[in-house]
Amino acid sequence: MEETVRGKFQRSVRKLIRMGRRDSFLGFEDQPIITFTRHRYDAVKDVFVKDEVKAMLETKTLKVALEGATRELYRIKIMTKFRGCDNYVAKRYKSHVQAADEMYFTDCKMQMIAKKMADDFNKLKPPHRIDFLETFVLEMTTEQGMRQLFTAEKFVQGDYQKHSSNSGFVQEVHHRMTPHAFSHFSYVHSKGKLMIVDIQGVGDLWTDPQIHAVDDEQGFGVGNLGLAGMAKFFRTYHYNPLCEWIGLVPFQQSPFDLPPTIDWEEVCDRVKEDDRAKICRRRMTGNSATWQRRRILSDLSSQNCKLGQETRGIEDERDKEIWGR
């Protein structure tokens, strides 16, 4: 069986070479093949399902520019039935964290809930569609008979950016509208029960979110600050034209808690040409998109969304001003 799996791995590498693509995960030829138990979370049914996968796990950690203070990363190749093998990143808590096994399942659950929320956000037809990487928990038994867990997700190349944190931090240097509009949307869409923050990733493909929840403050790990975390977000976040465009209204705050204003016209001037092209394409289908946004917004909380006349007032001129950053 081991030779069959290893042969599948070698065939996938040869296929990449024939296609002219270079596999960034090389040097796995001598790594042992390990059988993992994979735990995947179903956000609709709220259950974990498990199966078995075979993978090659690199023994040394992966050095990245934004390595976290609490977790270390490993390269791993996971075998699949149809595509040979895929490149993943396995994450394990560092020894000084003394993480309980439940923390791995909590991290997986939060990211899959955020992924489902991103699907609902995309139904509003924003200029930039967003997504969270699908993640799962890998369980193995070490040579000493100990249980070892990892969270794993697809390896993504590109410039990694951190847009916000769970304690009110908002990226000001490379400020974008979409990540913060999504956090605001998650609060509205859940009727104030939860908020997804700590947005980070490559482009509009994100990972490692944190959820603040009101009803279950112990359900999403130590990073769940509940109402206090939501208040910290609204104190530092900037209500932007994209929030207005998808129908969100400003969160009522004390004048002393309002964040500094941003010149959104200056932000729009820095937009890339591909963003301008997206807006041009949106203008061609503006009527149907506006109707769909109005229909979806009618299902949200009336206290937090612009409905009726304000939603019907979306015009093409507004689309020209918003570049969807």
Side-chain angles (χ1 to χ4, degrees):
M1 171 63 79
E2 181 172 334
E3 290 298 324
T4 302
V5 176
R6 190 175 297 277
K8 184 187 299 185
F9 163 76
Q10 293 173 345
R11 286 195 300 272
S12 66
V13 174
R14 289 195 293 267
K15 182 178 180 181
L16 287 173
I17 295 175
R18 289 196 301 270
M19 295 173 63
R21 295 168 53 191
R22 184 178 182 276
D23 188 358
S24 59
F25 279 21
L26 296 178
F28 276 77
E29 292 80 0
D30 298 328
Q31 298 294 336
I33 296 174
I34 305 172
T35 300
F36 288 89
T37 300
R38 177 172 57 182
H39 303 266
R40 292 182 291 181
Y41 179 72
D42 187 334
V44 177
K45 298 180 180 179
D46 190 24
V47 295
F48 277 93
V49 296
K50 63 181 182 179
D51 58 0
E52 286 191 351
V53 295
K54 295 186 178 297
M56 293 181 177
L57 177 67
E58 193 174 40
T59 54
K60 58 183 180 181
T61 59
L62 175 65
K63 299 298 182 182
V64 295
L66 292 176
E67 182 177 356
T70 60
R71 287 187 291 185
E72 51 194 10
L73 310 180
Y74 297 87
R75 299 192 304 173
I76 183 172
K77 280 186 174 288
I78 298 180
M79 313 300 168
T80 61
K81 291 183 178 180
F82 305 105
R83 291 177 292 180
C85 59
D86 290 328
N87 296 335
Y88 284 78
V89 173
K91 305 178 182 181
R92 183 178 69 177
Y93 280 98
K94 295 181 179 180
S95 57
H96 71 271
V97 179
Q98 299 181 350
D101 291 348
E102 187 63 27
M103 294 176 63
Y104 292 91
F105 291 91
T106 298
D107 292 341
C108 175
K109 181 178 180 178
M110 284 193 295
Q111 189 154 325
M112 297 309 293
I113 291 175
K115 184 178 179 67
K116 184 177 182 299
M117 184 70 73
D119 292 338
D120 295 334
F121 180 80
N122 291 333
K123 292 177 182 178
L124 297 177
K125 303 294 183 180
H128 288 262
R129 294 178 61 85
I130 64 172
D131 198 6
F132 284 84
L133 289 167
E134 183 175 358
T135 186
F136 45 83
V137 178
L138 292 177
E139 177 186 350
M140 63 172 287
T141 303
T142 64
E143 296 179 354
Q144 294 75 25
M146 303 293 291
R147 184 192 192 198
Q148 178 61 62
L149 298 178
F150 301 86
T151 56
E153 61 189 30
K154 279 287 188 71
F155 173 74
V156 178
Q157 290 181 316
D159 295 330
Y160 190 94
Q161 295 288 336
K162 187 175 180 68
H163 303 286
S164 64
S165 71
N166 70 320
S167 58
F169 163 77
V170 171
Q171 175 61 264
E172 299 289 355
V173 179
H174 304 287
H175 191 89
R176 294 189 55 208
M177 299 183 191
T178 306
H180 311 301
F182 170 72
S183 294
H184 190 172
F185 168 83
S186 67
Y187 174 81
V188 173
H189 193 61
S190 65
K191 296 180 174 61
K193 295 180 180 179
L194 61 82
M195 174 186 288
I196 300 173
V197 294
D198 206 4
I199 307 299
Q200 55 197 306
V202 178
D204 295 302
L205 187 58
W206 301 333
T207 182
D208 291 337
Q210 175 63 52
I211 296 180
H212 295 319
V214 175
D215 297 335
D216 185 10
E217 295 192 5
Q218 303 299 324
F220 295 111
V222 295
N224 176 17
L225 304 181
L227 282 174
M230 297 178 183
K232 290 182 178 181
F233 169 80
F234 281 120
R235 185 173 185 178
T236 56
Y237 127 97
H238 302 277
Y239 179 79
N240 58 60
L242 179 59
C243 297
E244 181 183 4
W245 186 67
I246 63 176
L248 301 173
V249 298
F251 189 82
Q252 298 300 319
Q253 295 174 267
S254 165
F256 300 100
D257 290 336
L258 293 176
T261 58
I262 287 183
D263 187 353
W264 292 112
E265 292 185 0
E266 181 181 350
V267 172
C268 292
D269 289 339
R270 299 197 304 266
V271 102
K272 298 179 181 179
E273 289 299 326
D274 59 342
D275 292 334
R276 297 178 185 271
K278 287 183 179 181
I279 297 299
C280 291
R281 289 197 298 270
R282 288 194 55 76
R283 291 189 64 200
M284 298 175 62
T285 59
N287 293 333
S288 60
T290 299
W291 175 85
Q292 187 168 6
R293 284 196 301 273
R294 187 184 306 136
R295 179 178 58 82
I296 296 172
L297 287 173
S298 64
D299 296 333
L300 303 179
S301 172
S302 60
Q303 297 179 354
N304 295 283
C305 297
K306 287 187 175 180
L307 301 176
Q309 183 62 36
E310 294 184 54
T311 304
R312 290 193 294 270
I314 297 175
E315 300 175 349
D316 289 343
E317 293 300 322
R318 173 106 22 113
D319 286 348
K320 288 195 294 184
E321 296 174 1
I322 299 174
W323 305 115
R325 289 208 50 160

